[in-house]
Amino acid sequence: MTDTDESYDFDLFVIGAGSGGVRAARMSAQHGARVAVAEQQYLGGTCVNVGCVPKKLFVYAASFHHEFTSAVGFGWQVPPASFDWSVLRDNKNTEIARLNGIYANLLDNAGVKLFSARAVIEGPHEVLVDGQKITCRYILVCTGGQPYVPDFPGSEHVITSDQAFFLDELPEVITVVGGGYISVEFAGIFNGLGVETHLVYRGPLFLKQFDQDLRSNLAEQMQEKGIHLHFDTDINSILKQGDSLVSTLSDGSSLDSRLIMYATGRKPNVESLGLEKTAVRIDDRGAVVVDDKFQTDEPSIYAIGDVIGRVELTPVAIQEGMILAANLFDNGDAIMDYDFIPTAVFSQPNLGTVGYTEQQARELFGKVEIYRSKFSPLKETLGGGADKILMKLIVDTETDRVVGCHMLGEGAGEIIQGLAVAIKAGATKSDFDATVGIHPSAAEEFVTMRVPI
Ligand code: NDP
């Protein structure tokens, strides 16, 4: 049990009920703290409402396109398939509303007081919410982030992923801008749902933090699926002409679309929070500055999740929330370990990764061994699709430790999650070699690669 301080209304006041905030609130309450949460919009934050969860549902929807075609080779007679966007969108909305309810129950069952309103910080130990001044021993800021769109002529005509989840109808042609997770995932979604899809990215090849080999293979496979990739290209301006949006590109050419979605990064939500009434510092990217215990320059105020701009991933925010709750209310003294965080881009096919890319490992370790395998999945032999699987293991020659594990292919997110436990635990290539495969599976290839390239 924690030592609660009855001179305050609450021990912890959490601003923002996203993945990190909800977990921090629940865990703190379980450790015996008296906790309140304020959420001005929807429970579950970006991930549940306009991020991971609805995105993954859309990825499933888009993948049926390929399944219908493959089914023919397995003997199925499939009548021409048609797709109804409104059914997908509305079913998704129903499911998200169900999840919002589950989040409310989780907080309620944990004894956390929920304010469905905006909270503003009044001082180091005080917030204003629902017209009430509330005192608290600690404040936790986990207000997340929001899409960033650069300012340029015609930028008022574009949407972001926030709106893409609720479109009235699908456009005939879409341009998606950016080379990060969101643009790549949404390009796959729109293309799979039958929209002519263009991806415009200012760099030479998207997903620059991932292994070069997998990036270029993904680009090839996306092109084979019909996505138009425009690399080394930016949009200079957009003109609305009737129902068309005409983009003038940096090479002087123009591109017509019905909808343009910008996925050019996200910025932390720190506006009008009252932070100026405290010693909390904001860095030049707009993120709240915290130390390795998530404490801001105002000792009673902490921050976690996207608002601190470290690693913008839901499971990271959740882990940060659990560590903080234990540190504040359960005599914990842990520091978040950001090494070997697995991650996946739910592109088509998926790209999953943990550890260092080949390029990073060469710089960091000097001598590395690269194990690489590229093959057609068994399913495609009858399915007739062109999808390929690419797997790579990066091994530090000196220690034999596997320091990078990468996969492009169906199920990569699932497979890499499992392997991430081994990689995080320090598995060596000999450990991989000593592991028996599951046959026939794609994942067995990770334990049967013997000859470095
Ligand atoms: P990212 O930071 O991943 O990518 C932003 C992209 O926009 C980069 O390619 C960047 O280019 C480009 N860009 C930035 N500014 C401009 C500009 N002014 N003009 C043109 N292009 C620009 O952001 P996302 O919006 O895709 O996603 C936000 C975060 O959300 C991700 O970083 C990720 O952490 C998280 N996320 C995770 C997912 C998952 O786990 N599957 C799914 C979706 C999001 P450059 O590369 O040249 O810098």
Side-chain angles (χ1 to χ4, degrees), residues 143-174:
T143 46
Q146 57 180 295
Y148 154 78
V149 178
D151 192 20
F152 62 92
S155 61
E156 68 276 15
H157 300 304
V158 313
I159 64 160
T160 68
S161 52
D162 280 1
Q163 291 85 46
F165 286 108
F166 303 96
L167 296 176
D168 288 335
E169 55 185 21
L170 280 185
E172 284 163 38
V173 186
I174 190 160

Side-chain angles (χ1 to χ4, degrees), residues 370-390:
I370 311 297
Y371 295 83
R372 181 185 191 275
S373 180
K374 186 174 175 183
F375 55 97
S376 294
L378 181 61
K379 193 172 162 194
E380 299 291 24
T381 56
L382 299 193
D387 278 9
K388 293 273 186 297
I389 293 182
L390 173 59

Side-chain angles (χ1 to χ4, degrees), residues 5-84:
D5 187 339
E6 302 287 338
S7 62
Y8 297 110
D9 296 328
F10 290 98
D11 297 306
L12 178 68
F13 195 99
V14 180
I15 305 180
S19 305
V22 168
R23 186 60 66 97
R26 286 173 54 211
M27 296 304 289
S28 299
Q30 277 174 24
H31 295 315
R34 297 166 307 131
V35 184
V37 178
E39 173 55 58
Q40 62 175 355
Q41 208 172 4
Y42 26 51
L43 293 179
T46 301
C47 174
V48 168
N49 296 278
V50 286
C52 329
V53 177
K55 177 276 308 287
K56 190 79 186 281
L57 293 173
F58 284 5
V59 169
Y60 285 129
S63 67
F64 281 103
H65 185 98
H66 185 56
E67 297 295 312
F68 290 134
T69 324
S70 299
V72 177
F74 289 88
W76 289 93
Q77 295 300 312
V78 184
S82 64
F83 173 71
D84 187 336

Side-chain angles (χ1 to χ4, degrees), residues 55 148 150 177-183 185 201-203 208-209 234 263-266 312-313 343-346:
K55 177 276 308 287
Y148 154 78
V177 183
Y181 285 78
I182 297 179
S183 65
E185 291 181 340
Y201 172 49
R202 64 183 178 183
K208 69 180 178 193
Q209 69 272 47
D234 213 347
T264 42
R266 298 174 60 85
E312 294 169 47
L313 296 173
T343 180
V345 182
F346 292 101

Side-chain angles (χ1 to χ4, degrees), residues 275-295:
L275 294 173
E276 67 288 351
K277 292 177 185 160
T278 71
V280 173
R281 218 159 25 95
I282 306 292
D283 70 15
D284 51 9
R285 298 167 309 141
V288 173
V289 178
V290 291
D291 65 12
D292 56 11
K293 294 280 181 68
F294 307 113
Q295 192 171 32

